[in-house]
Amino acid sequence: MATTDAPIGAQQWVPAHPDGLDDLKEAATGCEGCELYADATQTVFGRGDAHARIVFVGEQPGDVEDQHGLPFVGPAGRLLREAVDEAGIDATGVYITNAVKHFRFEMRGKRRIHQTPGPAHIAACRPWLVAEFSLLKPELVVGLGATAAKALFGPAFRVTRSRGQLMPWPAAAQHPGDFPVAEIRAMATIHPSAVLRADDRDGAYRGLVDDLRVAQGAVAG
């Protein structure tokens, strides 16, 4: 894979005054803010309701998502949809995206194996997340997994300690001016792929659903 020690960041590709999410998505197809664009099939931007009350943020697209150009359409996405439905969240009224928009992987034979994005990739891709939230203005943001949670709450955040807890939006203190909607609340839970890998898959799935019920209760109330 192509590498670089200093990603330049996505800011120069982000429209200053986008007309909407479709405008952002189109601009993101040309992003070269870090080296991941060189080996990924395509940019995988967010999708869903432009007026969503809940926004889910995952880590990065996987192999299936990279091929299809849509987030959460592989096995983890199917499990997430099942958990969202069971938690009572209207799946047609949410928006889902990733902290990093290109698939990071390594080749093992003919297989592309997921690699966790590094802090430099998260920072380089952050302008897209900022732009998405500036247009969406949701009531609640749910970080799925450690990478997404750290992108939202900072590197010291631990999902295992704070999952399922509603918190005030932290970004104003961490990155002044990034996310201008002070009324947003946030929480974190495990990534659905962690459920698929768990030894106790049923227990992990129940925990995910329980966390999502907290999210549902937050917007319903």
Side-chain angles (χ1 to χ4, degrees):
M1 295 180 63
T3 60
T4 179
D5 293 329
I8 59 178
Q11 190 60 60
Q12 65 180 282
W13 285 273
V14 179
H17 303 288
D19 291 332
L21 291 168
D22 287 342
D23 196 17
L24 284 182
K25 182 177 180 178
E26 177 63 27
T29 62
C31 184
E32 299 179 5
C34 74
E35 84 281 2
L36 298 184
Y37 84 92
D39 295 301
T41 304
Q42 58 194 311
T43 306
V44 180
F45 207 70
R47 65 185 175 102
D49 185 359
H51 304 287
R53 299 175 72 186
I54 300 177
V55 172
F56 293 100
V57 179
E59 178 191 270
Q60 67 164 0
D63 183 65
V64 175
E65 289 78 8
D66 176 68
Q67 294 177 52
H68 289 271
L70 295 169
F72 285 87
V73 293
R78 291 191 293 272
L79 187 141
L80 178 62
R81 175 59 187 266
E82 181 181 344
V84 163
D85 289 343
E86 189 165 344
I89 297 172
D90 178 7
T92 66
V94 305
Y95 183 89
I96 190 161
T97 190
N98 283 301
V100 175
K101 312 299 193 202
H102 286 110
F103 180 33
R104 188 185 191 203
F105 62 92
E106 64 178 0
M107 296 300 300
R108 295 183 188 171
K110 295 182 179 181
R111 297 180 62 202
R112 303 192 302 174
I113 304 300
H114 164 277
Q115 284 191 310
T116 301
H121 302 118
I122 295 169
C125 215
R126 186 175 181 81
W128 292 117
L129 203 58
V130 171
E132 284 176 288
F133 280 113
S134 296
L135 291 174
L136 288 161
K137 299 179 174 61
E139 295 177 32
L140 177 68
V141 177
V142 179
L144 299 170
T147 299
K150 289 177 181 179
L152 296 172
F153 295 102
F157 187 86
R158 295 293 181 269
V159 174
T160 52
R161 289 202 302 259
S162 302
R163 60 176 293 182
Q165 299 178 23
L166 290 172
M167 292 169 278
W169 188 242
Q174 296 173 12
H175 304 275
D178 263 11
F179 302 100
V181 186
E183 294 81 7
I184 296 177
R185 289 186 293 173
M187 63 172 284
T189 186
I190 59 173
H191 196 283
S193 64
V195 176
L196 296 175
R197 296 191 302 268
D199 292 334
D200 179 9
R201 181 170 170 174
D202 289 342
Y205 176 75
R206 298 312 316 169
L208 174 61
V209 171
D210 287 344
D211 290 345
L212 295 183
R213 283 183 174 140
V214 174
Q216 167 60 10
V219 296

